[in-house]
Amino acid sequence: MGRFLQQFFLHYAALSCFGMVHGFMDETLEKAIKSEGYCSRILRAQGGTRKEGYNEFSLRVEGDPEIYKPGNTYRVTLSAASPAYFRGFTLIALKEGKDGEREEDHAGSFQIIDEEDTQFMSNCPVAVTESTPRRRTRIQVFWTAPAIGTGCVILKASIVQKKIIYFQDEGSLTKRMCEPDTSYEGGNEKTIPDCCACGTAKYRLTFYGNWSEKSHPKDYPRRANHWSAIIGGSHSKEYVLWEYGGYASEGVKQVAEFGSPVKMEEEIRQKGDEVLTVIKAKAQWPAWQPLNVRAAPSAEFSVDRTRHLMSFSTMLGPSPDWNVGLSAEDLCTKECGWVQKVIQDLIPWDAGTDSGVSYESPNKPTIPQDKIRPLTSLDHPQSPFYDPEGGPIIPVARVVIERIARKGEQCNIVPDNVDDIVADLVTEEKEEDDTPETCIYSNWSPWSACSSATCDKGKRMRQRMLKAQLDLSVSCPDTQDFEPCMGPGCSDDEPSSCIVTEWGEWEECSSTCGVGMKKRHRMIKMTPADGSMCKTDTTEVEKCMMPECHTIPCVLSPWSDWSDCSVTCGKGTRTRQRMLKSPAELGDCNEELKQVEKCMLPECPIHCELTEWSNWSECNKSCGKGHMIRTRMITLEPQFGGALCPETVQRKKCRLRKCQKSSGIEKKRLKEAREKRRSERTNEEADGEQYPVCKMKPWTAWTECTKYCGGGIQERFMTVKKRFKSSQFTSCKDKKEIRACNVHPC
């Protein structure tokens, strides 16, 4: 049996140790022996234990594209729905109609994200399998699409769970993608199926920002960290807000670089009937706070048969051009119904408009513009998401899209589960109202606090606004509603179990127009006598109604050109402005009229800096003409075109007594004089031993030259070791010698 079969059975022998492989049929063995080709189809049992409901496992390519772009990289996820799990798997990519027996049958290439979870098969290096057999619910790899001319590609997965083998040819474990049709220009590369659902569905998008210093500690920006305002829409397949592998529009660029949703909202609204709902939610400053302190931002939107896709984007700030979001998420099911719930973890994406590599990199436009792509942990060593081992990026956010209502006649043939039906019934009951059709109201506000501050019965109120009355002959119901309530901190069973202070004053509304939020607080005065915790709320949050916001309150002039940089060198800022042209009667305009951004000019020159001159040295001659030197040190070398360093060594002439010229007799006399002086010094030394004045330490070694070239100095020292009193000798000093060094030119 060939090398492949040996490795194949070793691989599945390991899985069988965990009780996952029930057994291979004789037919499988025969096929394995006959197909010792390239990877030999990554054999899986054609028989074995099979289980209904295998849709609990799914293979998904991020963005769910039907069309792949040659050379683009996609994130591929193999997952199990709770409570299911799997222990073993294999993932391959084949050209459509090929069986994998030859190398050219395989399409594209996989890239390992987490080596603890995944590895390439030793006997088939183009296929991915598990690193170790263990329980898991999800794995992820990158797949790079093949070159043009490959045709359609089939991604296939096999799952081993307990004693059941799920096959790669079954629907939920197979993903088919084709290359774009180049026979005509301007065609939409992403094929999205038509929606067959009836009526409309209403959804709530909730955004949970998980980006914090605890989850992403590397270079986390402690100041100014935030999520920009969420902007998006529900739209038809004819309109693309942004897409993976595409180019960012000007609106997407402004969201990704500046966190400004204005241009993108303008682009969305210009699409008219292609868009059903504009999705908007407020920015979050700071980026993360506990949910009991700040509720997660949310927005509601609707979809119908023609506009069944939703897309949104929000900026991770500060950052060069990093954002997260969903693109063309299809909420229509193949069974002609509406998706009940979507939960998606999000990693940052690069909009391709700025080349910065860290959170606070200076602006550096990408020219030419790059495609939108996912950040990876191997992008750049300075990236906050960098991992030299190439592990997956920890998600920075999670988005939950949940259906909250359906309207109109529904035509899906597959019944929903019980919870799904109950959720819609509750919504329909809430929407039942005796309000005449001629009266158009806003939604009810939340209930106010109870009017009683003690444990007496009181009442609370909610209100709504009458927006329009189509028939003046019909009386519209009240805009206020009341119901009885108990005072704060009270319960019917133990009214005095927890004593609290009265509520404080309401804080200002978070919005200047439309619906906002406001808070008020109170303190616990006394906890229950049994030592249990007080279950009474100490913070109350409710909506506040402000004057209606105008749909388009601002008419603005175009932005001016950017001003010159505020500095002539180094880092500075520049500004641009625009004017408010709309009359004040339309309401306050909250749009920014001035923008400031960083600018970077060439570095400022740094001039040479030196120490003060040293004292002049002693003359280098004992008679006649000589010279003295003095030096100074360079403390800062010049940079970026700064002034060069001036001289560091100066010389000046010194003249002592004139040296006498000697004849032969004179030379003899001088020699005798020198011998006499030497004899006298010997006698003095003898006297010094008898009458010592001081003892000196030996000369130290010469110090290092102060310069490598151009002339420096060296010094050496002799210090007094011991000093004695004597009437004949009064001088005993430390000595220092200086000499020039490295005088050769630089």
Side-chain angles (χ1 to χ4, degrees):
M1 183 175 294
R3 179 173 176 268
F4 161 71
L5 291 178
Q6 294 175 13
Q7 293 182 343
F8 174 81
F9 286 114
L10 283 173
H11 175 66
Y12 282 96
L15 294 181
S16 64
C17 293
F18 287 82
M20 292 177 286
V21 179
H22 184 61
F24 289 81
M25 300 182 67
D26 293 339
E27 179 185 357
T28 306
L29 294 175
E30 293 175 4
K31 289 186 177 182
I33 295 171
K34 292 178 181 179
S35 57
E36 288 187 51
Y38 187 83
C39 294
S40 303
R41 288 181 57 91
I42 313 296
L43 290 175
R44 285 293 186 266
Q46 303 300 313
T49 308
R50 200 184 275 260
K51 178 183 177 184
E52 294 298 328
Y54 56 83
N55 283 329
E56 60 193 348
F57 301 107
S58 64
L59 176 67
R60 186 180 185 226
V61 178
E62 190 165 15
D64 293 322
E66 302 290 338
I67 303 293
Y68 67 81
K69 292 186 178 181
N72 268 25
T73 298
Y74 300 86
R75 186 182 293 268
V76 180
T77 303
L78 184 60
S79 59
S82 181
Y85 63 89
F86 57 94
R87 294 184 182 273
F89 73 92
T90 300
L91 185 61
I92 58 172
L94 297 174
K95 297 177 182 177
E96 190 171 38
K98 302 297 182 178
D99 55 14
E101 292 184 354
R102 298 173 301 172
E103 181 177 0
E104 55 267 27
D105 290 352
H106 295 259
S109 60
F110 289 103
Q111 178 185 341
I112 300 299
I113 295 178
D114 188 350
E115 294 182 352
E116 293 185 0
D117 266 343
T118 54
Q119 65 177 0
F120 292 109
M121 289 190 72
S122 57
N123 60 294
C124 180
V126 294
V128 179
T129 188
E130 73 280 353
S131 296
T132 55
R134 61 178 177 82
R135 290 173 64 131
R136 49 173 61 83
T137 59
R138 188 178 76 159
I139 64 98
Q140 288 187 333
V141 295
F142 285 130
W143 177 73
T144 302
I148 295 176
T150 304
C152 294
V153 174
I154 310 295
L155 294 178
K156 295 184 176 184
S158 298
I159 290 286
V160 178
Q161 183 221 34
K162 293 184 178 179
K163 297 181 179 180
I164 304 163
I165 302 174
Y166 295 90
F167 306 101
Q168 58 195 12
D169 294 328
E170 294 178 344
S172 63
L173 294 176
T174 301
K175 175 67 178 179
R176 179 179 184 268
M177 295 188 294
C178 297
E179 66 180 339
D181 185 0
T182 57
S183 61
Y184 64 94
E185 293 183 353
N188 186 4
E189 295 180 357
K190 183 174 180 178
T191 302
I192 299 173
D194 291 333
C195 177
C196 57
C198 299
T200 63
K202 188 175 183 181
Y203 287 87
R204 178 182 293 112
L205 177 152
T206 307
F207 182 85
Y208 299 95
N210 300 326
W211 177 51
S212 67
E213 188 172 11
K214 183 177 180 181
S215 62
H216 298 80
K218 183 181 178 183
D219 299 335
Y220 186 78
R222 294 188 177 183
R223 294 188 299 174
N225 59 81
H226 68 282
W227 292 101
S228 72
I230 292 172
I231 183 68
S234 56
H235 56 93
S236 71
K237 62 181 181 180
E238 305 301 326
Y239 173 44
V240 178
L241 275 76
W242 67 283
E243 63 179 338
Y244 308 111
Y247 290 97
S249 67
E250 182 61 28
V252 173
K253 176 183 176 182
Q254 290 198 14
V255 171
E257 288 191 22
F258 311 113
S260 172
V262 177
K263 182 64 178 178
M264 190 166 178
E265 181 177 357
E266 181 183 323
E267 291 177 355
I268 295 171
R269 293 190 184 279
Q270 287 176 351
K271 291 301 176 179
D273 291 340
E274 300 297 334
V275 176
L276 181 59
T277 307
V278 177
I279 300 172
K280 299 169 67 176
K282 289 187 176 182
Q284 297 181 83
W285 293 79
W288 182 86
Q289 280 187 326
L291 292 177
N292 61 348
V293 175
R294 181 185 66 195
S298 64
E300 295 181 0
F301 64 94
S302 298
V303 292
D304 60 17
R305 177 176 287 190
T306 58
R307 292 157 295 190
H308 53 96
L309 308 176
M310 75 80 58
S311 304
F312 81 92
S313 178
T314 177
M315 168 201 174
L316 176 85
S319 70
D321 60 343
W322 300 341
N323 62 314
V324 299
L326 292 179
S327 174
E329 187 72 25
D330 195 350
L331 299 176
C332 182
T333 67
K334 296 178 181 179
E335 293 80 18
C336 303
W338 298 109
V339 172
Q340 172 63 26
K341 195 171 189 178
V342 175
I343 301 176
Q344 185 71 39
D345 289 327
L346 305 175
I347 64 169
W349 288 80
D350 190 311
T353 60
D354 191 290
S355 300
V357 297
S358 62
Y359 291 127
E360 298 181 276
S361 293
N363 288 338
K364 187 179 180 181
T366 303
I367 302 175
Q369 186 173 329
D370 283 341
K371 296 178 181 179
I372 297 174
R373 65 171 185 85
L375 296 180
T376 73
S377 60
L378 294 173
D379 283 338
H380 194 282
Q382 294 180 7
S383 167
F385 306 106
Y386 181 72
D387 179 359
E389 296 181 359
I393 291 179
I394 298 173
V396 296
R398 169 174 288 184
V399 63
V400 177
I401 302 171
E402 190 168 14
R403 197 181 76 213
I404 57 176
R406 289 181 296 185
K407 293 184 179 179
E409 183 178 352
Q410 302 294 312
C411 55
N412 55 311
I413 57 175
V414 178
D416 294 327
N417 58 44
V418 174
D419 292 338
D420 194 23
I421 296 171
V422 170
D424 282 333
L425 289 176
V426 170
T427 304
E428 290 171 5
E429 288 173 4
K430 288 181 179 178
E431 292 180 352
E432 288 181 4
D433 201 342
D434 296 332
T435 304
E437 294 181 358
T438 59
C439 302
I440 301 176
Y441 287 92
S442 67
N443 292 330
W444 284 107
S445 70
W447 287 104
S448 69
C450 194
S451 61
S452 174
T454 64
C455 290
D456 297 326
K457 288 188 177 180
K459 63 180 180 179
R460 60 180 185 170
M461 179 192 73
R462 63 176 181 172
Q463 58 185 355
R464 58 184 175 177
M465 295 178 63
L466 179 61
K467 290 185 172 182
Q469 188 172 354
L470 304 181
D471 187 353
L472 297 178
S473 63
V474 177
S475 177
C476 290
D478 292 336
T479 58
Q480 293 183 331
D481 187 21
F482 298 88
E483 72 173 15
C485 60
M486 297 290 290
C490 301
S491 67
D492 295 334
D493 298 329
E494 296 177 296
S496 61
S497 60
C498 187
I499 301 176
V500 294
T501 63
E502 294 185 5
W503 285 107
E505 295 294 327
W506 286 104
E507 296 175 0
E508 290 186 4
C509 191
S510 61
S511 176
T512 57
C513 65
V515 180
M517 302 296 291
K518 61 181 181 179
K519 296 180 183 178
R520 65 176 183 173
H521 307 278
R522 61 181 175 182
M523 304 290 290
I524 297 174
K525 294 174 69 176
M526 183 179 294
T527 56
D530 60 2
S532 60
M533 295 295 293
C534 234
K535 297 182 180 179
T536 304
D537 292 333
T538 56
T539 300
E540 189 173 43
V541 181
E542 71 173 27
K543 290 184 180 179
C544 44
M545 306 292 292
M546 303 298 286
E548 276 197 52
C549 300
H550 293 282
T551 306
I552 308 176
C554 305
V555 179
L556 301 165
S557 67
W559 283 106
S560 67
D561 293 333
W562 286 104
S563 68
D564 292 335
C565 198
S566 61
V567 296
T568 57
C569 59
K571 295 180 180 179
T573 59
R574 62 178 186 169
T575 61
R576 65 175 183 175
Q577 298 175 329
R578 57 182 175 181
M579 303 293 292
L580 177 63
K581 300 170 67 176
S582 56
E585 304 85 65
L586 289 180
D588 294 334
C589 180
N590 295 322
E591 299 295 340
E592 60 181 346
L593 301 178
K594 182 178 180 180
Q595 285 185 342
V596 181
E597 74 171 10
K598 296 176 184 177
C599 52
M600 184 71 181
L601 295 179
E603 293 284 354
C604 298
I606 298 176
H607 303 300
C608 178
E609 293 183 7
L610 304 100
T611 63
E612 295 295 326
W613 285 105
S614 68
N615 295 325
W616 287 102
S617 68
E618 296 178 359
C619 192
N620 67 333
K621 295 289 180 68
S622 60
C623 64
K625 295 179 181 179
H627 69 267
M628 299 183 295
I629 64 171
R630 67 174 182 175
T631 61
R632 56 182 173 180
M633 305 285 291
I634 296 174
T635 59
L636 183 62
E637 294 284 353
Q639 299 181 57
F640 311 118
L644 299 177
C645 292
E647 60 181 348
T648 57
V649 178
Q650 283 186 345
R651 295 175 176 81
K652 74 175 183 179
K653 295 179 180 179
C654 53
R655 188 183 183 94
L656 302 177
R657 60 184 174 80
K658 188 174 182 180
C659 297
Q660 296 179 354
K661 295 182 179 179
S662 303
S663 61
I665 299 173
E666 182 67 18
K667 288 181 180 178
K668 183 178 180 181
R669 187 181 67 79
L670 292 175
K671 182 178 180 182
E672 291 174 351
R674 283 198 298 271
E675 290 176 351
K676 183 179 179 180
R677 285 197 299 271
R678 189 179 298 115
S679 176
E680 289 175 351
R681 281 199 299 269
T682 303
N683 294 333
E684 287 177 359
E685 288 174 2
D687 292 339
E689 291 176 2
Q690 187 176 0
Y691 305 102
V693 176
C694 58
K695 287 186 179 181
M696 305 297 290
K697 293 181 180 179
W699 285 104
T700 63
W702 289 103
T703 61
E704 290 188 7
C705 193
T706 56
K707 294 190 66 175
Y708 293 108
C709 59
I713 63 169
Q714 288 178 296
E715 296 177 328
R716 68 173 183 174
F717 304 91
M718 177 184 287
T719 58
V720 175
K721 184 176 182 182
K722 191 172 183 180
R723 191 177 273 109
F724 301 95
K725 291 183 179 181
S726 172
S727 59
Q728 298 180 8
F729 300 94
T730 59
S731 175
C732 187
K733 297 180 180 179
D734 292 341
K735 297 180 180 181
K736 179 176 76 171
E737 288 187 351
I738 299 176
R739 70 179 182 184
C741 56
N742 293 340
V743 294
H744 59 277
C746 296

